[in-house]
Amino acid sequence: MKKSTKLLVGLTSMLSLSLLLGGCGNSSSKSTTIQFFSTKTENAGTYKQLISQFEKKNPNIKVQLSSPSNAGTVLKSDLAKNSIPDVMAVSGDVNYQQVQRAGVLEDLSGESFTKTTMPAYQKMITSISKGSKLDAVPYATNASGIVYNKTLFAKAGITKTPTTWNELIADAKTLKAHGITPFELPFQDSWTTMGVFNQLDSNMINGSWINKRLANKTTYLSSHKAVVQKYLTLSKYAQSDYMGTSYNDGTKALAEGKAAMMINGNFVIPQAKQLKKNVKLDMFKMPVNNDSSKNKVTSGIDVAFAISKKSKNQAADKKFVKFLMSKKSSQLYNKQQFSFSAIKGVAQKDASLEGISSYLTKGDVVNYPDHYYPDGFDMTAVLTQTGVNQTKGMSDSKNITATLKKADKAFDSANVKD
């Protein structure tokens, strides 16, 4: 072999080795790390399990989970620095609205995983968004209703759950006649007042009402008298110290059979069962109207996934979200978090939610009215005063007027346009 030929072979070998090494470098550089931010802390264990499964299937993609207890503050700080995480798991609330209205989220309406979500929940997201794009895809949901003690219902001879308002009050009277407290209302914790008010409001007042109120074209005083009347009626069948009972104490009373019903969310059940494992609880849709066809389950979005418009890893981001949105992943999340799913065909199968889960699976739901309130409007403070007024003996008519005037005044103070 001539010297020039040996040189050429040597250069070719070096080039091949260089390309080979270069190829290894490229392979390594293809490793992608996704920042995954969650506004909830209680589901971190479930996310870690799902992330582990995803990373095994996608060894070149790593997912870094962050779920700080002060998630809202962290998101505001990230927005101020113009540097939000790649993928965010947010509730359908003010945290999502702040990020979405900053215009930093990717439109996900054309993604394949979006097509599997129920239209009712897509509508909830767009109804609190700026513009008509789908900047977050709904994933997990919750439900309000009435949690009831099946043993106490049977003891009072009640064989079926009520489907109308009149039936609900008739059952409350029957329970009371058997020495059973019908409702456990833990109004010392003011947020629980909305567990009642939201269900009454969402089923009695048209959803478009809030837009008129925001435009100052209507008032609470002119439209919500019947809502507050029913709110006060329910309180009359509660334990005597309902303004002094905390949520934890109320849940304990329900678990121990000291009251038959609690008006709140599905999250009451696992907490009650932690206190008394064998308590027989189920849930039914709150029958607000006497036309049962007009009663819907008040439900909201617990988790929706959003992707940063500026993320450099969008292909990996979407692959990860698609994995989370699969039926298998969603069923795992539902089971561990005792939640419902916004994904078509994924049902909550826990027996203690049997009375309400079919409505969630069908998407026969209505959103929480307070999701549309202006920032700073605290209806719980208004309702707390309503309860105090009632315990002091104020007449219903005076209490209703005072409540609604107070609500209008507080709403107007918060409803300041930019």
Side-chain angles (χ1 to χ4, degrees), residues 145-149 254 260-262 264-265 268-269 281-283:
I146 298 183
V147 180
Y148 74 105
N149 186 312
L254 180 74
M261 296 179 274
M262 180 181 277
N264 212 313
V268 169
I269 294 175
L281 300 177
D282 198 346
M283 200 169 175

Side-chain angles (χ1 to χ4, degrees), residues 20 29 94 100 102 137 158 173 211 233 271 322 332 399:
L20 181 61
S29 65
V94 66
Q100 194 272 337
V137 57
I158 301 172
K173 290 177 178 176
N211 294 325
T233 298
Q271 185 172 341
K322 185 176 181 179
L332 174 69
N399 203 357

Side-chain angles (χ1 to χ4, degrees), residues 399-414:
N399 203 357
I400 290 168
T401 299
T403 295
L404 297 176
K405 283 184 175 179
K406 189 177 179 69
D408 280 320
K409 186 177 181 180
F411 192 100
D412 289 340
S413 296

Side-chain angles (χ1 to χ4, degrees), residues 117-135:
T117 58
M118 283 186 269
Y121 290 108
Q122 289 191 28
K123 188 177 179 182
M124 281 188 193
I125 278 290
T126 55
S127 70
I128 60 171
S129 302
K130 181 180 180 180
S132 58
K133 294 186 299 181
L134 190 70
D135 288 343

Side-chain angles (χ1 to χ4, degrees), residues 31-107:
S31 180
T32 300
T33 299
I34 299 171
Q35 299 170 321
F36 178 39
F37 183 90
S38 170
T39 58
K40 299 170 77 73
T41 57
E42 61 270 29
N43 54 7
T46 301
Y47 281 144
K48 286 176 183 175
Q49 189 173 338
L50 290 169
I51 287 168
S52 176
Q53 293 175 7
F54 175 76
E55 290 179 339
K56 283 181 182 175
K57 291 184 177 180
N58 301 275
N60 288 332
I61 303 176
K62 302 298 177 188
V63 180
Q64 289 184 342
L65 172 65
S66 173
S67 54
S69 58
N70 58 339
T73 304
V74 173
L75 270 182
K76 281 184 181 178
S77 176
D78 286 345
L79 274 176
K81 291 184 289 188
N82 197 25
S83 177
I84 61 171
D86 297 321
V87 179
M88 285 155 283
V90 295
S91 298
D93 59 14
V94 66
N95 287 327
Y96 164 71
Q97 287 179 307
Q98 287 177 346
V99 178
Q100 194 272 337
R101 290 176 184 182
V104 295
L105 299 179
E106 181 75 3
D107 178 11

Side-chain angles (χ1 to χ4, degrees), residues 284-322:
F284 61 87
K285 179 169 57 173
M286 186 168 174
V288 174
N289 300 291
N290 278 325
D291 180 350
S292 61
S293 67
K294 292 182 178 179
N295 296 324
K296 293 183 179 294
V297 175
T298 308
S299 172
I301 297 170
D302 248 2
V303 177
F305 296 125
I307 295 175
S308 168
K309 192 182 286 185
K310 289 187 176 180
S311 172
K312 295 178 182 177
N313 310 311
Q314 289 212 359
D317 298 341
K318 290 176 182 176
K319 197 169 191 176
F320 177 53
V321 173
K322 185 176 181 179

